[in-house]
């Protein structure tokens, strides 16, 4: 009488093959999820930065008398309408009292020190020095001003496959 079933060797081979297939599928799933997460973070970085760029540009267009200082790292203008001693400031932090060096801030007041007390973060992940050699804020001449932000998911780490630069630039002219 012959009993039907699997031998121990057949069971071990089947379990081993199943384990290899499951490990391969799990590895593929994990790498796909990591790529998705990285892409989602890059998209969020770009969306937030575009919003900040539009915000700065729109405010600049509604302002008057523009001054760029701090080696192209600070932009100041008088809002219109507004008192002659009130200014809107945008600046990259200096790593000290004016904030973190990888963040662009906005504040209001007669001086950068006064604006620093009511500052708000607009964009982070800013690379400094700017790899293109340009300043964040530049007077392009003829009343036109350029804004260039270079961003990196890990701005203090070197550029690499996992940490590439994204550059946003625009120009604006104050209307008032």
């Amino acid at each position: 009488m012959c009993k039907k079933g699997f031998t121990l060797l057949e069971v071990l081979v089947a379990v081993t093959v199943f384990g290899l297939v499951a490990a391969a599928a799990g590895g593929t799933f994990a790498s796909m999820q990591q790529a998705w997460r990285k892409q989602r973070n890059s998209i969020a970085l770009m969306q937030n930065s575009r919003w900040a760029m539009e915000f700065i540009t729109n405010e600049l267009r509604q302002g008057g008398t523009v001054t760029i200082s701090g080696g192209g790292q600070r932009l100041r203008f008088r809002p219109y309408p507004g008192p002659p001693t009130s200014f809107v400031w945008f600046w990259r932090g200096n790593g000290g009292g004016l904030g973190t060096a990888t963040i662009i801030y906005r504040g209001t007041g007669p001086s950068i020190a006064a604006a620093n007390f009511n500052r708000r973060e607009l964009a982070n992940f800013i690379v400094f020095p700017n790899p293109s050699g340009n300043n964040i804020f530049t007077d392009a001449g003829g009343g036109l001003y350029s804004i260039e932000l270079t961003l990196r998911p890990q701005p203090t780490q070197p550029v690499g496959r996992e940490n590439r630069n994204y550059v946003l630039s625009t120009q604006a002219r104050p209307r008032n």
Side-chain angles (χ1 to χ4, degrees):
M1 181 164 145
C2 181
K3 291 185 179 181
K4 295 197 177 194
F6 297 105
T7 65
L8 180 59
L9 183 58
E10 290 172 330
V11 170
L12 286 175
V13 168
V15 167
T16 302
V17 169
F18 177 75
L20 290 173
V21 169
T28 301
F29 178 73
S31 66
M32 286 174 52
Q33 206 158 19
Q34 181 183 11
W36 178 80
R37 191 173 23 260
K38 193 183 325 170
Q39 186 67 25
R40 185 188 67 200
N41 290 342
S42 293
I43 288 170
L45 173 74
M46 290 303 291
Q47 285 176 336
N48 292 338
S49 302
R50 276 187 287 204
W51 175 86
M53 183 72 84
E54 283 297 316
F55 185 85
I56 294 169
T57 303
N58 287 338
E59 282 212 338
L60 180 61
R61 284 183 180 143
Q62 296 175 21
T65 313
V66 175
T67 304
I68 295 174
S69 62
Q73 304 304 306
R74 298 180 193 153
L75 174 78
R76 177 190 85 170
F77 61 89
R78 196 173 78 237
Y80 184 81
T85 58
S86 177
F87 294 99
V88 173
W89 294 80
F90 292 98
W91 73 94
R92 183 191 62 83
N94 63 359
L98 292 178
T100 306
T102 58
I103 297 176
I104 298 288
Y105 296 97
R106 179 199 185 273
T108 57
S111 67
I112 187 75
N116 193 40
F117 285 112
N118 62 39
R119 73 182 185 205
R120 299 286 181 259
E121 288 185 20
L122 281 186
N124 49 15
F125 304 107
I126 305 298
V127 177
F128 187 79
N130 193 336
S132 70
N134 297 334
N135 296 320
I136 292 175
F137 305 108
T138 308
D139 185 346
L144 191 63
Y145 296 90
S146 297
I147 305 167
E148 182 178 301
L149 300 178
T150 302
L151 310 132
R152 190 181 308 147
Q154 298 172 359
T156 58
Q157 301 299 318
V159 174
R161 189 172 142 221
E162 305 289 324
N163 196 33
R164 52 184 258 204
N165 285 342
Y166 299 95
V167 179
L168 298 171
S169 62
T170 190
Q171 293 184 327
R173 183 183 320 272
R175 294 184 181 145
N176 300 310

